[in-house]
Amino acid sequence: MGTVKRAPSRRMGTSALTLLCAMAILTAPGLATGAAFAAPAAPSAPAAPAAPSAPAAPGAPAPEPGAKSLEQVRKEIEDLYRQAGSATDAYNLAESETKAQSERIVQIAKLVVAGQDRISTLKDRAGAAARAQYRSNGLPPGARLALSDSPSDFLDGAGRLRQGEKATTDLLAELNRTQADLERYAKDAGAVWQKMEENRVKKEAAKKEIEGKIKAAEDLESRLAAEEKARLLQLEQEAQYQAQTAWLSSGAMKDVKGLASDAGKRAVQFATAQMGKPYVWGAEGPASYDCSGLTSQAWLAAGRPIPRTSQEQLRLLPKVALKDMRPGDLIIYFDDASHVGMYVGDGAIVHAPRPGRNVTMAGAGSMPIKAVVRPDA
């Protein structure tokens, strides 16, 4: 697909052309370049003021003194969802660690079984040696050797004696090593179980915090009238539009011309195919996702497993400069790295925003950027 020309910053935002550009990005087979970018769609203009109405009838309730404005409510709801997002990262990390620890427990159990089988075999060998000695009337090999009348039998027996002594020594050494291994496995298993319990406590605490924050946000929104909810969504879109416009006007995208790698194209194609599916905290698909669930599964589909959480993605994946960004890279947002989206080119990301919203496309600069990381560096 040809590169889309950058619109002059003073004329960004016309919705029809922008929407066509955005959809062209998402359906392009190669997503070959991020050099050009579309301005975010301008939010719909507020409806014209209604004609003055008649004075309210006596007794109509007046607005409560000190009541919060709708913009204040929007910011409070946004903050609650951000806190829930941070707790979701903690929950996901504990879940991921618990999974790894469970796999380690299974490995240890297999080692224990193998060790026990080995000890049983060694004991059988030791028992066979004891029975052989019993059949020789209990005389130790040295005594039988000394009583031999034949020099050749004596020398032959001496060789077998040395071999037998070495075999016995090796048998005892191996038995001791295997028993020491079993003791170490038991110790390792105990440590892993303790970590699993710690992670269970972390998960429970994070779950409680997530549910509390989401419920508080939903309670705030539930008290709004239908018209206020519609206006709330418009305010949210306006805030994103203003942030994206300011980001583009700063020249942030001026030098961004990176081409998607083959793996990056596959990751983008997977992520954009999930658009319209709901955000659910802790979800990794296929019916719903949280923000890092979407990005981790997209890169898994591209053949590159990456860390599960946005904070671990920031910590463990190679960082790249914004000017070197290319489709498929992950953009980490906010100081606490509590959100992540996938850059798809043309100044846009695909992401799972928050509870109550679906996987969608947004401006890459519509939230404060902390870093850009590359899964296939």
Side-chain angles (χ1 to χ4, degrees):
M1 183 183 76
T3 302
V4 181
K5 301 288 187 180
R6 188 200 318 192
S9 60
R10 294 179 180 273
R11 289 183 287 168
M12 294 180 197
T14 55
S15 58
L17 179 58
T18 302
L19 181 58
L20 288 173
C21 292
M23 293 309 296
I25 296 165
L26 295 180
T27 55
L31 287 155
T33 178
F37 60 90
S44 303
S53 58
E64 294 181 13
K68 295 177 182 177
S69 69
L70 200 56
E71 175 63 11
Q72 289 173 318
V73 171
R74 182 193 71 79
K75 288 182 177 178
E76 189 171 344
I77 290 174
E78 183 180 272
D79 188 55
L80 286 167
Y81 279 129
R82 276 206 51 225
Q83 292 175 42
S86 184
T88 297
D89 233 30
Y91 178 93
N92 289 338
L93 180 59
E95 175 75 13
S96 179
E97 289 177 346
T98 298
K99 182 179 178 182
Q101 288 153 3
S102 297
E103 292 171 352
R104 177 59 181 156
I105 286 289
V106 171
Q107 292 173 350
I108 291 174
K110 291 178 179 178
L111 290 172
V112 168
V113 170
Q116 289 172 337
D117 289 344
R118 185 61 181 156
I119 284 179
S120 179
T121 300
L122 293 172
K123 285 182 177 179
D124 288 344
R125 286 170 54 190
R131 288 190 296 272
Q133 184 174 345
Y134 175 78
R135 286 194 296 271
S136 65
N137 299 319
L139 288 175
R144 294 199 308 274
L145 187 61
L147 295 173
S148 173
D149 294 328
S150 169
S152 62
D153 288 347
F154 182 91
L155 294 174
D156 185 53
R160 289 198 301 272
L161 176 61
R162 286 192 296 271
Q163 292 173 0
E165 288 175 343
K166 184 178 185 305
T168 300
T169 301
D170 291 347
L171 177 65
L172 292 173
E174 188 172 356
L175 185 60
N176 288 334
R177 282 197 303 271
T178 305
Q179 288 175 332
D181 286 343
L182 287 177
E183 290 174 4
R184 187 176 72 254
Y185 298 153
K187 185 177 180 180
D188 289 348
V192 173
W193 279 113
Q194 183 177 351
K195 288 180 181 178
M196 287 181 69
E197 176 59 18
E198 291 171 356
N199 278 328
R200 185 192 66 79
V201 172
K202 288 178 184 176
K203 281 171 59 180
E204 289 299 320
K207 180 180 179 181
K208 185 175 180 181
E209 182 178 359
I210 294 164
E211 291 174 342
K213 298 297 183 185
I214 291 176
K215 185 177 186 305
E218 290 173 343
D219 286 348
L220 271 175
E221 196 163 354
S222 70
R223 292 197 289 268
L224 300 175
E227 295 82 359
E228 290 176 312
K229 290 180 181 178
R231 177 58 182 154
L232 187 70
L233 178 59
Q234 186 179 12
L235 288 173
E236 183 180 309
Q237 293 170 342
E238 286 175 356
Q240 294 172 359
Y241 174 79
Q242 290 167 6
Q244 174 76 349
T245 300
W247 184 69
L248 293 176
S249 298
S250 72
M253 289 292 299
K254 179 179 62 175
D255 299 319
V256 178
K257 300 175 181 177
L259 304 178
S261 65
D262 288 341
K265 292 174 186 177
R266 293 194 297 271
V268 169
Q269 287 166 357
F270 179 94
T272 53
Q274 312 313 308
M275 289 178 65
K277 295 182 179 180
Y279 177 107
V280 173
W281 67 267
E284 298 178 86
S288 57
Y289 296 88
D290 63 19
C291 65
S292 58
L294 176 66
T295 54
S296 60
Q297 288 301 303
W299 272 102
L300 182 62
R304 298 293 182 96
I306 64 172
R308 169 65 176 89
T309 73
S310 57
Q311 292 172 351
E312 289 295 281
Q313 289 168 3
L314 172 66
R315 187 172 73 87
L316 298 174
L317 297 179
K319 297 176 180 61
V320 296
L322 184 66
K323 66 181 179 61
D324 298 323
M325 184 168 60
R326 68 190 188 195
D329 288 347
L330 306 182
I331 304 181
I332 310 295
Y333 292 98
F334 304 111
D335 287 339
D336 60 358
S338 58
H339 192 69
V340 60
M342 178 179 291
Y343 183 62
V344 296
D346 208 34
I349 61 167
V350 61
H351 71 144
R354 66 165 177 82
R357 298 287 183 264
N358 297 332
V359 177
T360 188
M361 193 176 75
S366 59
M367 295 168 284
I369 295 174
K370 183 173 181 67
V372 180
V373 297
R374 179 164 295 163
D376 61 338

